[in-house]
Amino acid sequence: MSRVNTVLGPIPAEELGLVAVHEHIGYGMPGSELDTKWWKTPEQRYEETVPKLRRFHEYGGGTFVDATGICNGRDVDYYRSLSAKTGVHIVASTGFVGGDTALPFFARASVEYLAEHFIHEITVGIGDTGGRAGIIKVGVSRGGRMTDLDKRIYRAAARAALATGVPVLTHLAIDAENAIAVFDAEGLPLDRVLFGHVDDGVNADRTRDTWIAEQGGRVGFDTFGYETELEDPPFWARPRKQRLDHFLRFIGQGHLDKVLASADANCSPLGWPGVKGHTVNYIFTDLIPDLRAAGLDEAAIKTIFVDNPADLLSIKN
């Protein structure tokens, strides 16, 4: 039986239910959680987060994948408490959002060291929490091209994925040619990689989503809800209909089995105010109704939010 690492222990993939595959309990740049301007007490973070996760569960959400990398505010003991309190399965990440978020200790590390570190967090646990990572996060540094450090992290991620059987999640799908070259060189099948954020308002025109799918990779449309129609939209926002049309066009090209969707929302942001009015529950309040209105049937919606994530997150080694 396929299994998936959650912070409370491995579970059968069949128990994941509907999956929000790219979200954050609390994300910030390294050190941001210590900035007095934005510092929150544990009680404040809890009050912001628990209602969102409870609502997610009430809507029918089963699993929340926390895509917060090392150095960006992970707190696995906290995740374990939230999961037990709300009934939502939480999958934690090892890896880095991008090389430019890796603190100097990790930035100077060899590929071999990084791979061993990722493997430890997947097979033994993150710190002394006992909670194991279920996915490996990688990303492209600012500027849109992979740096040498990014490539080392990708190479280490590929080795850890092959050794443990967990998948890789990219923060961005830009510079996919270099990413795929690294994965191919390491022998990692591309169906074990979810190339994320193909739909955001900054990078959508630079991501080769169809080409990635044709190479065998999985494609993440995972910034749903960051709309220009918001009261105070972020710089990566995009018109709602434009993103939805992009998503439907990709599916219509025969890639339903390759696509996953999420909202990339922060339950309680670290070091910044976050985006008002945007939560993981956009999936239920807006996205799924939009897909139904566009003519997607329930089988297709299940493929996107249940079947594809279960297959991706399953440990395969």
Side-chain angles (χ1 to χ4, degrees):
M1 179 181 293
S2 298
R3 68 191 193 282
V4 174
N5 276 354
T6 77
V7 294
L8 293 180
I11 65 170
E14 295 80 5
E15 294 182 8
L16 293 175
L18 187 145
V19 179
V21 77
H22 191 137
E23 303 294 330
H24 297 278
I25 296 296
Y27 170 85
M29 295 299 287
S32 61
E33 72 277 14
L34 305 177
D35 186 338
T36 55
K37 180 178 180 180
W38 301 111
W39 185 79
K40 298 174 183 175
T41 67
E43 292 78 12
Q44 288 171 321
R45 294 179 62 192
Y46 183 87
E47 289 172 1
E48 287 182 343
T49 301
V50 168
K52 295 170 185 174
L53 291 180
R54 282 184 170 152
R55 182 62 58 86
F56 178 72
H57 191 259
E58 290 167 1
Y59 276 128
T63 300
F64 183 109
V65 178
D66 182 82
T68 304
I70 299 167
C71 307
N72 289 117
R74 288 185 316 175
D75 187 340
V76 178
D77 278 332
Y78 181 46
Y79 299 173
R80 286 164 62 87
S81 172
L82 291 170
S83 182
K85 187 77 172 179
T86 65
V88 174
H89 301 301
I90 297 176
V91 175
S93 300
T94 188
F96 300 91
V97 172
D100 52 359
T101 72
L103 292 172
F105 175 84
F106 292 108
R108 290 192 291 262
S110 66
V111 171
E112 292 75 17
Y113 184 93
L114 292 170
E116 289 174 3
H117 185 81
F118 299 161
I119 291 167
H120 182 93
E121 293 203 327
I122 295 162
T123 60
V124 178
I126 297 171
D128 60 0
T129 66
R132 300 176 186 176
I135 199 164
I136 307 168
K137 185 74 178 283
V138 297
V140 178
S141 295
R142 284 163 182 76
R145 300 292 291 179
M146 290 177 68
T147 64
D148 288 341
L149 175 56
D150 292 332
K151 292 177 182 178
R152 296 208 319 269
I153 293 170
Y154 273 63
R155 195 170 299 280
R159 294 180 187 181
L162 286 167
T164 64
V166 307
V168 176
L169 167 64
T170 81
H171 175 65
L172 290 171
I174 54 175
D175 205 12
E177 295 87 350
N178 275 319
I180 288 175
V182 171
F183 294 139
D184 283 347
E186 293 295 331
L188 180 66
L190 292 182
D191 68 346
R192 301 307 295 148
V193 183
L194 174 58
F195 291 84
H197 290 354
V198 303
D199 59 322
D200 76 27
V202 175
N203 299 294
D205 292 340
R206 294 191 289 161
T207 58
R208 301 175 64 188
D209 49 12
T210 301
W211 179 80
I212 292 168
E214 289 170 348
Q215 306 311 302
R218 299 176 189 262
V219 176
F221 284 73
D222 42 31
T223 59
F224 275 103
Y226 288 118
E227 303 167 345
T228 54
E229 292 88 344
L230 289 169
E231 179 182 341
D232 185 19
F235 68 85
W236 61 91
R238 193 178 182 192
R240 176 172 177 157
K241 185 177 185 301
Q242 185 184 95
R243 179 185 283 104
L244 182 66
D245 287 347
H246 182 188
F247 185 62
L248 294 169
R249 184 169 62 252
F250 180 81
I251 291 173
Q253 292 170 332
H255 301 307
L256 178 64
D257 62 331
K258 297 289 188 184
V259 74
L260 293 90
S262 210
D264 190 34
N266 257 290
C267 291
S268 182
L270 303 173
W272 64 299
V275 177
K276 186 177 180 180
H278 180 48
T279 78
V280 61
N281 294 311
Y282 183 94
I283 293 170
F284 293 101
T285 60
D286 293 79
L287 176 54
I288 291 178
D290 281 352
L291 296 177
R292 288 174 176 147
L296 257 66
D297 60 23
E298 296 306 308
I301 291 170
K302 180 175 180 288
T303 297
I304 295 165
F305 292 102
V306 178
D307 300 336
N308 290 350
D311 189 53
L312 171 73
L313 294 169
S314 294
I315 295 172
K316 297 181 180 180
N317 53 6

